[in-house]
Amino acid sequence: MRRAILLALSIVLSAVASVAAAQDDLLARVEAAGTLRVANTQGHAPWDFLDDDNRLTGLGIDLANELAARMGIGKVEFVPARFPDLIPGIQANRFDLVIAGHTITEERSKIVDFSLPYMAIGTSVFVRTGDERIRTLDDLDGKSVGTLAGSITEGYLAAEHGDKKLDVRAYENATLALSDLAVGRVDAVIYSDDAGAYIARINALPVVRAVQVNREINAMVFRKGEDRFGQALNAAFRSIIDDGTYSSLSAKWLGSVDMAAELKKAAAD
């Protein structure tokens, strides 16, 4: 009798422990709530920003909605936060996922987990569509090059390409620089891949990327140790890449930049 009672008690305690573990499991909680809480800064076009009608939009927003749908989660709740508060917010369970351009670092990996890379982006040389003269950085020799006033690029050109005869022209904003490129006032513009492609798309500017200067790999962030959530998230993201959806979303927001192709290229390097 005593042995039967102990066995029953063991079964009950095991069941309670299983329920408690399930309740503390991020994937189980998200599925039960039917809502995925995604944080971003809401000020980073073309990834997440407020449009003219004050609606949250962008490539990162479309990606989050697609991920949730493929994970079987019915709703996405977007939570605005300052960039420095995003990782602490994950640790404090204020949100479930961050899609905000975090580079994978050893230091961050100690306190949060990362998804598969979703963004391979950096700085590129933009040229007019059809201009075949610039295909490497060496081809900038003797050319006029637009940069943002006070940007890192100005210092980079001086430090790394000071031996070339560059006519460096500083602009107050990227739209003006790319507009001047489109009409031939400068031969090239060095600017952020994604933002440059977005500006070109929304302003119908005939400019394209010629050569990438540098590249940064970013991933989505979630709570440390949430392996089941990470597996479900990565499986959903792989399917978004494999069936061409990510390429379509990239075309919608980035025009000449196919983010799925950029990720494959980065993985092969």
Side-chain angles (χ1 to χ4, degrees), residues 191-251:
Y191 190 56
S192 168
D193 293 351
D194 54 348
Y198 174 71
I199 290 169
R201 185 185 69 79
I202 63 172
N203 291 286
L205 299 176
V207 303
V208 295
R209 290 193 312 162
V211 57
Q212 194 167 55
V213 177
N214 56 39
R215 183 166 57 198
E216 179 181 290
I217 307 299
N218 295 159
M220 296 171 271
V221 177
F222 55 95
R223 199 171 74 170
K224 189 74 177 172
E226 295 290 354
D227 295 339
R228 287 204 324 124
F229 179 86
Q231 290 165 6
L233 176 69
N234 286 336
F237 185 54
R238 284 193 200 95
S239 71
I240 290 170
I241 291 178
D242 291 345
D243 69 6
T245 298
Y246 207 30
S247 294
S248 297
L249 292 178
S250 296

Side-chain angles (χ1 to χ4, degrees), residues 14 17 27 37 53 65 72 83 93 103-104 110 152-153 158 179 185 212 219 229 233 239 245 265:
S14 177
L27 182 61
R37 300 172 300 168
D53 296 319
N65 284 319
F83 192 84
N93 197 32
T103 303
I104 302 170
K110 294 176 182 177
I152 294 174
T153 303
S179 296
R185 293 194 182 100
Q212 194 167 55
F229 179 86
L233 176 69
S239 71
T245 298
K265 188 189 305 179

